[in-house]
Amino acid sequence: MSDHAAGPDDAPAGRSGLRPLYLTLPMANVALYLLWMGVGSFLLPLQVARITGTNDTAALSTASTVGAVLATVGNPVFGQLSDRTRSRFGRRAPWILFCAVLGALALVMQAHAASIAMLGMSWGVVQFIMNGYQAALTAALPDRVPARRYGTFSALVGLGVPLGTIVAALVVGGVPGERFGLDGVIGGFGGRFAGENGYYLIAVVVVVAALVFVVVSPDRDARSLPRQRFSLKGFLANFWVSPKGHPDFGWAFLSRLGVMLGYMIVLTYNMYLLAEHIEIPPGELLPTQGFLMIVNAVCTVVAALVVGPLADRVGRVKPFVLTSGIAAALALVLPMVWPTEGGMLAYNVFGGLAFGVYVAVDMALITKVLPRTADAGKDMGVINIANAGPQILAPTIAGWIVAAGGYEALFPVAAAVSLVGALGVLPVRTVR
């Protein structure tokens, strides 16, 4: 096997073949993003408001930042641990299941946090553990998917974000059913999961999804793989990926960092932006936010399902990344010049389509530039810092922007950052 993780066409798919992964991989990612979006966008701001008695942006920023810092550490650490694991169940399955169960227990503890400090720490523990789940799960793509299917599977993995968002908005956010002509079908259902019950529900979903993944699509026995003698110095040194030695990996990292930072700058203050800038009445705030998130997510799903297989067919990735960056920047102009609920709706439609184009090819790009197949888990963990890093930076950056120019200033800054991030893909030489 090549030392580079370029994804040979005969990449092994595990004991059950490739077919089950078409279902189990996106399902496991939907559960993960139900957690990220359900807690981060709904349960966490609501819990901050209950603890402080107000929409305290500083308190929300503190809780979010603590969690994101620990998430940044967790992804590459667990990724390398899974690389080194040798078991009859494979390298990734034990960590996916272990982290799902441990993360579920941590979620139950977070449901009872009674102070901002306790909330921030418990959310940090959840993010640290669940990034172990994410690191092992994302490594399944370079481990088990042939290169000719990268675009399709990149789109399927990317569906975790929009579908997790839809479920979070309907079930945890309690979006009224009449918004979609479904009154009596989902109407009132979500309201029962807007507090502690929301944490319990997400905990159960994560564990069930992990069980389905490891049972329905089992990995190959890893006991015969070469073993490395453990050395703390070597373990720590292995986290470094030289930008000089692997420039494409470095540019892909920076590109993802820019695109995700632009996305997170607006998302972090989304609820407060609707309340303070668009001036949505308090009683309509949560349903409105959930409705807009669902619109965004549906558009993301549509774009991803179209673009993923298309990218496989044309054999190109860069044009789609550039298109998504330009479209995202243009979409962010809409609520800036049209600061109404209608402007936010238009932004979520076009922004969702742009993000769908991006997630359809993002994992395909990353998987093609991984330095070594043996370190796929660790390298995917390192590249996933470009997801967690913006969660750390965005609350602080967004706070500075709002303090200097008001909520409306978030949009042009986010547009510029997203565009620069998309342009960062141009120097990548090994991917067309």
PDB file of all heavy atoms in Angstrom, residues 36-62:
ATOM      1  N   TRP A  36     -23.811  18.458  18.274  1.00  0.00           N
ATOM      2  CA  TRP A  36     -23.149  19.757  18.135  1.00  0.00           C
ATOM      3  C   TRP A  36     -24.167  20.879  17.964  1.00  0.00           C
ATOM      4  O   TRP A  36     -24.087  21.917  18.624  1.00  0.00           O
ATOM      5  CB  TRP A  36     -22.199  19.767  16.943  1.00  0.00           C
ATOM      6  CG  TRP A  36     -21.000  18.878  16.976  1.00  0.00           C
ATOM      7  CD1 TRP A  36     -20.410  18.284  15.900  1.00  0.00           C
ATOM      8  CD2 TRP A  36     -20.202  18.490  18.106  1.00  0.00           C
ATOM      9  NE1 TRP A  36     -19.320  17.532  16.289  1.00  0.00           N
ATOM     10  CE2 TRP A  36     -19.162  17.655  17.632  1.00  0.00           C
ATOM     11  CE3 TRP A  36     -20.267  18.757  19.466  1.00  0.00           C
ATOM     12  CZ2 TRP A  36     -18.204  17.089  18.470  1.00  0.00           C
ATOM     13  CZ3 TRP A  36     -19.322  18.187  20.308  1.00  0.00           C
ATOM     14  CH2 TRP A  36     -18.307  17.376  19.812  1.00  0.00           C
ATOM     15  N   MET A  37     -25.151  20.679  17.085  1.00  0.00           N
ATOM     16  CA  MET A  37     -26.109  21.743  16.788  1.00  0.00           C
ATOM     17  C   MET A  37     -27.192  21.839  17.852  1.00  0.00           C
ATOM     18  O   MET A  37     -27.602  22.936  18.236  1.00  0.00           O
ATOM     19  CB  MET A  37     -26.743  21.511  15.413  1.00  0.00           C
ATOM     20  CG  MET A  37     -25.752  21.437  14.263  1.00  0.00           C
ATOM     21  SD  MET A  37     -24.649  22.867  14.141  1.00  0.00           S
ATOM     22  CE  MET A  37     -25.832  24.149  13.761  1.00  0.00           C
ATOM     23  N   GLY A  38     -27.667  20.696  18.323  1.00  0.00           N
ATOM     24  CA  GLY A  38     -28.718  20.718  19.333  1.00  0.00           C
ATOM     25  C   GLY A  38     -28.272  21.363  20.627  1.00  0.00           C
ATOM     26  O   GLY A  38     -28.993  22.184  21.215  1.00  0.00           O
ATOM     27  N   VAL A  39     -27.060  21.023  21.057  1.00  0.00           N
ATOM     28  CA  VAL A  39     -26.537  21.630  22.287  1.00  0.00           C
ATOM     29  C   VAL A  39     -26.010  23.030  22.004  1.00  0.00           C
ATOM     30  O   VAL A  39     -26.385  24.000  22.673  1.00  0.00           O
ATOM     31  CB  VAL A  39     -25.420  20.753  22.904  1.00  0.00           C
ATOM     32  CG1 VAL A  39     -24.824  21.444  24.132  1.00  0.00           C
ATOM     33  CG2 VAL A  39     -25.975  19.394  23.303  1.00  0.00           C
ATOM     34  N   GLY A  40     -25.144  23.164  20.992  1.00  0.00           N
ATOM     35  CA  GLY A  40     -24.495  24.446  20.739  1.00  0.00           C
ATOM     36  C   GLY A  40     -25.435  25.565  20.341  1.00  0.00           C
ATOM     37  O   GLY A  40     -25.268  26.710  20.779  1.00  0.00           O
ATOM     38  N   SER A  41     -26.442  25.263  19.535  1.00  0.00           N
ATOM     39  CA  SER A  41     -27.328  26.311  19.021  1.00  0.00           C
ATOM     40  C   SER A  41     -28.600  26.505  19.837  1.00  0.00           C
ATOM     41  O   SER A  41     -29.213  27.565  19.777  1.00  0.00           O
ATOM     42  CB  SER A  41     -27.713  26.006  17.570  1.00  0.00           C
ATOM     43  OG  SER A  41     -26.584  26.054  16.727  1.00  0.00           O
ATOM     44  N   PHE A  42     -29.010  25.479  20.597  1.00  0.00           N
ATOM     45  CA  PHE A  42     -30.279  25.584  21.327  1.00  0.00           C
ATOM     46  C   PHE A  42     -30.102  25.402  22.839  1.00  0.00           C
ATOM     47  O   PHE A  42     -30.387  26.306  23.628  1.00  0.00           O
ATOM     48  CB  PHE A  42     -31.287  24.555  20.798  1.00  0.00           C
ATOM     49  CG  PHE A  42     -31.738  24.821  19.395  1.00  0.00           C
ATOM     50  CD1 PHE A  42     -31.235  24.087  18.336  1.00  0.00           C
ATOM     51  CD2 PHE A  42     -32.664  25.813  19.120  1.00  0.00           C
ATOM     52  CE1 PHE A  42     -31.649  24.325  17.039  1.00  0.00           C
ATOM     53  CE2 PHE A  42     -33.081  26.071  17.828  1.00  0.00           C
ATOM     54  CZ  PHE A  42     -32.573  25.328  16.783  1.00  0.00           C
ATOM     55  N   LEU A  43     -29.646  24.225  23.248  1.00  0.00           N
ATOM     56  CA  LEU A  43     -29.627  23.919  24.674  1.00  0.00           C
ATOM     57  C   LEU A  43     -28.629  24.783  25.445  1.00  0.00           C
ATOM     58  O   LEU A  43     -28.919  25.231  26.561  1.00  0.00           O
ATOM     59  CB  LEU A  43     -29.309  22.436  24.881  1.00  0.00           C
ATOM     60  CG  LEU A  43     -30.340  21.455  24.312  1.00  0.00           C
ATOM     61  CD1 LEU A  43     -29.880  20.014  24.519  1.00  0.00           C
ATOM     62  CD2 LEU A  43     -31.700  21.673  24.944  1.00  0.00           C
ATOM     63  N   LEU A  44     -27.456  25.031  24.866  1.00  0.00           N
ATOM     64  CA  LEU A  44     -26.445  25.820  25.571  1.00  0.00           C
ATOM     65  C   LEU A  44     -26.888  27.270  25.775  1.00  0.00           C
ATOM     66  O   LEU A  44     -26.833  27.778  26.908  1.00  0.00           O
ATOM     67  CB  LEU A  44     -25.109  25.754  24.818  1.00  0.00           C
ATOM     68  CG  LEU A  44     -23.877  26.259  25.579  1.00  0.00           C
ATOM     69  CD1 LEU A  44     -23.587  25.379  26.778  1.00  0.00           C
ATOM     70  CD2 LEU A  44     -22.662  26.282  24.643  1.00  0.00           C
ATOM     71  N   PRO A  45     -27.343  28.001  24.727  1.00  0.00           N
ATOM     72  CA  PRO A  45     -27.822  29.367  24.971  1.00  0.00           C
ATOM     73  C   PRO A  45     -28.993  29.425  25.954  1.00  0.00           C
ATOM     74  O   PRO A  45     -29.076  30.338  26.783  1.00  0.00           O
ATOM     75  CB  PRO A  45     -28.258  29.840  23.577  1.00  0.00           C
ATOM     76  CG  PRO A  45     -27.494  29.009  22.624  1.00  0.00           C
ATOM     77  CD  PRO A  45     -27.361  27.677  23.288  1.00  0.00           C
ATOM     78  N   LEU A  46     -29.906  28.443  25.876  1.00  0.00           N
ATOM     79  CA  LEU A  46     -31.030  28.426  26.805  1.00  0.00           C
ATOM     80  C   LEU A  46     -30.567  28.184  28.235  1.00  0.00           C
ATOM     81  O   LEU A  46     -31.086  28.776  29.188  1.00  0.00           O
ATOM     82  CB  LEU A  46     -32.032  27.343  26.389  1.00  0.00           C
ATOM     83  CG  LEU A  46     -32.857  27.633  25.134  1.00  0.00           C
ATOM     84  CD1 LEU A  46     -33.672  26.408  24.742  1.00  0.00           C
ATOM     85  CD2 LEU A  46     -33.770  28.834  25.340  1.00  0.00           C
ATOM     86  N   GLN A  47     -29.565  27.312  28.391  1.00  0.00           N
ATOM     87  CA  GLN A  47     -29.052  27.023  29.734  1.00  0.00           C
ATOM     88  C   GLN A  47     -28.315  28.232  30.301  1.00  0.00           C
ATOM     89  O   GLN A  47     -28.416  28.531  31.490  1.00  0.00           O
ATOM     90  CB  GLN A  47     -28.136  25.795  29.689  1.00  0.00           C
ATOM     91  CG  GLN A  47     -28.027  25.070  31.027  1.00  0.00           C
ATOM     92  CD  GLN A  47     -27.431  23.682  30.872  1.00  0.00           C
ATOM     93  OE1 GLN A  47     -27.162  23.225  29.756  1.00  0.00           O
ATOM     94  NE2 GLN A  47     -27.210  22.998  31.972  1.00  0.00           N
ATOM     95  N   VAL A  48     -27.579  28.941  29.439  1.00  0.00           N
ATOM     96  CA  VAL A  48     -26.917  30.180  29.874  1.00  0.00           C
ATOM     97  C   VAL A  48     -27.956  31.186  30.342  1.00  0.00           C
ATOM     98  O   VAL A  48     -27.797  31.838  31.385  1.00  0.00           O
ATOM     99  CB  VAL A  48     -26.067  30.776  28.730  1.00  0.00           C
ATOM    100  CG1 VAL A  48     -25.647  32.214  29.052  1.00  0.00           C
ATOM    101  CG2 VAL A  48     -24.830  29.926  28.483  1.00  0.00           C
ATOM    102  N   ALA A  49     -29.043  31.321  29.569  1.00  0.00           N
ATOM    103  CA  ALA A  49     -30.096  32.265  29.948  1.00  0.00           C
ATOM    104  C   ALA A  49     -30.752  31.880  31.264  1.00  0.00           C
ATOM    105  O   ALA A  49     -31.081  32.747  32.091  1.00  0.00           O
ATOM    106  CB  ALA A  49     -31.144  32.340  28.834  1.00  0.00           C
ATOM    107  N   ARG A  50     -30.937  30.570  31.495  1.00  0.00           N
ATOM    108  CA  ARG A  50     -31.540  30.138  32.758  1.00  0.00           C
ATOM    109  C   ARG A  50     -30.617  30.404  33.941  1.00  0.00           C
ATOM    110  O   ARG A  50     -31.054  30.777  35.028  1.00  0.00           O
ATOM    111  CB  ARG A  50     -31.891  28.645  32.697  1.00  0.00           C
ATOM    112  CG  ARG A  50     -33.147  28.334  31.909  1.00  0.00           C
ATOM    113  CD  ARG A  50     -33.681  26.951  32.261  1.00  0.00           C
ATOM    114  NE  ARG A  50     -32.737  25.897  31.902  1.00  0.00           N
ATOM    115  CZ  ARG A  50     -32.720  25.274  30.729  1.00  0.00           C
ATOM    116  NH1 ARG A  50     -33.596  25.627  29.790  1.00  0.00           N
ATOM    117  NH2 ARG A  50     -31.852  24.326  30.490  1.00  0.00           N
ATOM    118  N   ILE A  51     -29.320  30.209  33.721  1.00  0.00           N
ATOM    119  CA  ILE A  51     -28.359  30.387  34.818  1.00  0.00           C
ATOM    120  C   ILE A  51     -28.160  31.865  35.145  1.00  0.00           C
ATOM    121  O   ILE A  51     -28.118  32.263  36.317  1.00  0.00           O
ATOM    122  CB  ILE A  51     -27.007  29.719  34.463  1.00  0.00           C
ATOM    123  CG1 ILE A  51     -27.163  28.200  34.417  1.00  0.00           C
ATOM    124  CG2 ILE A  51     -25.926  30.104  35.478  1.00  0.00           C
ATOM    125  CD1 ILE A  51     -25.959  27.466  33.851  1.00  0.00           C
ATOM    126  N   THR A  52     -28.042  32.710  34.099  1.00  0.00           N
ATOM    127  CA  THR A  52     -27.728  34.127  34.315  1.00  0.00           C
ATOM    128  C   THR A  52     -28.963  35.010  34.367  1.00  0.00           C
ATOM    129  O   THR A  52     -28.893  36.149  34.826  1.00  0.00           O
ATOM    130  CB  THR A  52     -26.807  34.649  33.194  1.00  0.00           C
ATOM    131  OG1 THR A  52     -27.509  34.583  31.934  1.00  0.00           O
ATOM    132  CG2 THR A  52     -25.528  33.816  33.110  1.00  0.00           C
ATOM    133  N   GLY A  53     -30.086  34.514  33.838  1.00  0.00           N
ATOM    134  CA  GLY A  53     -31.308  35.321  33.814  1.00  0.00           C
ATOM    135  C   GLY A  53     -31.378  36.297  32.669  1.00  0.00           C
ATOM    136  O   GLY A  53     -32.270  37.140  32.625  1.00  0.00           O
ATOM    137  N   THR A  54     -30.441  36.208  31.691  1.00  0.00           N
ATOM    138  CA  THR A  54     -30.440  37.143  30.568  1.00  0.00           C
ATOM    139  C   THR A  54     -29.722  36.514  29.380  1.00  0.00           C
ATOM    140  O   THR A  54     -29.064  35.473  29.523  1.00  0.00           O
ATOM    141  CB  THR A  54     -29.733  38.462  30.944  1.00  0.00           C
ATOM    142  OG1 THR A  54     -29.810  39.369  29.838  1.00  0.00           O
ATOM    143  CG2 THR A  54     -28.272  38.225  31.292  1.00  0.00           C
ATOM    144  N   ASN A  55     -29.840  37.141  28.186  1.00  0.00           N
ATOM    145  CA  ASN A  55     -29.082  36.706  27.010  1.00  0.00           C
ATOM    146  C   ASN A  55     -27.654  37.220  27.130  1.00  0.00           C
ATOM    147  O   ASN A  55     -27.275  38.228  26.537  1.00  0.00           O
ATOM    148  CB  ASN A  55     -29.723  37.239  25.727  1.00  0.00           C
ATOM    149  CG  ASN A  55     -31.051  36.571  25.433  1.00  0.00           C
ATOM    150  OD1 ASN A  55     -31.285  35.445  25.841  1.00  0.00           O
ATOM    151  ND2 ASN A  55     -31.921  37.269  24.728  1.00  0.00           N
ATOM    152  N   ASP A  56     -26.852  36.532  27.921  1.00  0.00           N
ATOM    153  CA  ASP A  56     -25.504  36.992  28.269  1.00  0.00           C
ATOM    154  C   ASP A  56     -24.503  36.466  27.241  1.00  0.00           C
ATOM    155  O   ASP A  56     -24.092  35.301  27.283  1.00  0.00           O
ATOM    156  CB  ASP A  56     -25.154  36.486  29.669  1.00  0.00           C
ATOM    157  CG  ASP A  56     -23.871  37.102  30.223  1.00  0.00           C
ATOM    158  OD1 ASP A  56     -23.033  37.529  29.406  1.00  0.00           O
ATOM    159  OD2 ASP A  56     -23.731  37.155  31.445  1.00  0.00           O
ATOM    160  N   THR A  57     -24.102  37.324  26.286  1.00  0.00           N
ATOM    161  CA  THR A  57     -23.176  36.890  25.232  1.00  0.00           C
ATOM    162  C   THR A  57     -21.806  36.525  25.786  1.00  0.00           C
ATOM    163  O   THR A  57     -21.139  35.621  25.283  1.00  0.00           O
ATOM    164  CB  THR A  57     -23.014  37.992  24.163  1.00  0.00           C
ATOM    165  OG1 THR A  57     -22.570  39.200  24.792  1.00  0.00           O
ATOM    166  CG2 THR A  57     -24.324  38.245  23.457  1.00  0.00           C
ATOM    167  N   ALA A  58     -21.364  37.227  26.833  1.00  0.00           N
ATOM    168  CA  ALA A  58     -20.054  36.931  27.430  1.00  0.00           C
ATOM    169  C   ALA A  58     -20.069  35.551  28.069  1.00  0.00           C
ATOM    170  O   ALA A  58     -19.109  34.775  27.935  1.00  0.00           O
ATOM    171  CB  ALA A  58     -19.699  37.996  28.470  1.00  0.00           C
ATOM    172  N   ALA A  59     -21.156  35.224  28.770  1.00  0.00           N
ATOM    173  CA  ALA A  59     -21.257  33.915  29.407  1.00  0.00           C
ATOM    174  C   ALA A  59     -21.321  32.804  28.361  1.00  0.00           C
ATOM    175  O   ALA A  59     -20.697  31.752  28.505  1.00  0.00           O
ATOM    176  CB  ALA A  59     -22.487  33.869  30.310  1.00  0.00           C
ATOM    177  N   LEU A  60     -22.080  33.036  27.275  1.00  0.00           N
ATOM    178  CA  LEU A  60     -22.157  32.052  26.197  1.00  0.00           C
ATOM    179  C   LEU A  60     -20.798  31.860  25.546  1.00  0.00           C
ATOM    180  O   LEU A  60     -20.378  30.734  25.259  1.00  0.00           O
ATOM    181  CB  LEU A  60     -23.179  32.488  25.152  1.00  0.00           C
ATOM    182  CG  LEU A  60     -23.316  31.570  23.932  1.00  0.00           C
ATOM    183  CD1 LEU A  60     -23.780  30.180  24.352  1.00  0.00           C
ATOM    184  CD2 LEU A  60     -24.288  32.161  22.909  1.00  0.00           C
ATOM    185  N   SER A  61     -20.076  32.962  25.342  1.00  0.00           N
ATOM    186  CA  SER A  61     -18.746  32.891  24.752  1.00  0.00           C
ATOM    187  C   SER A  61     -17.808  32.084  25.633  1.00  0.00           C
ATOM    188  O   SER A  61     -17.023  31.261  25.146  1.00  0.00           O
ATOM    189  CB  SER A  61     -18.185  34.305  24.542  1.00  0.00           C
ATOM    190  OG  SER A  61     -16.873  34.253  24.047  1.00  0.00           O
ATOM    191  N   THR A  62     -17.881  32.292  26.949  1.00  0.00           N
ATOM    192  CA  THR A  62     -17.025  31.557  27.885  1.00  0.00           C
ATOM    193  C   THR A  62     -17.296  30.064  27.804  1.00  0.00           C
ATOM    194  O   THR A  62     -16.373  29.247  27.682  1.00  0.00           O
ATOM    195  CB  THR A  62     -17.263  32.049  29.326  1.00  0.00           C
ATOM    196  OG1 THR A  62     -16.913  33.424  29.408  1.00  0.00           O
ATOM    197  CG2 THR A  62     -16.423  31.248  30.313  1.00  0.00           C
TER     198      THR A  62
END
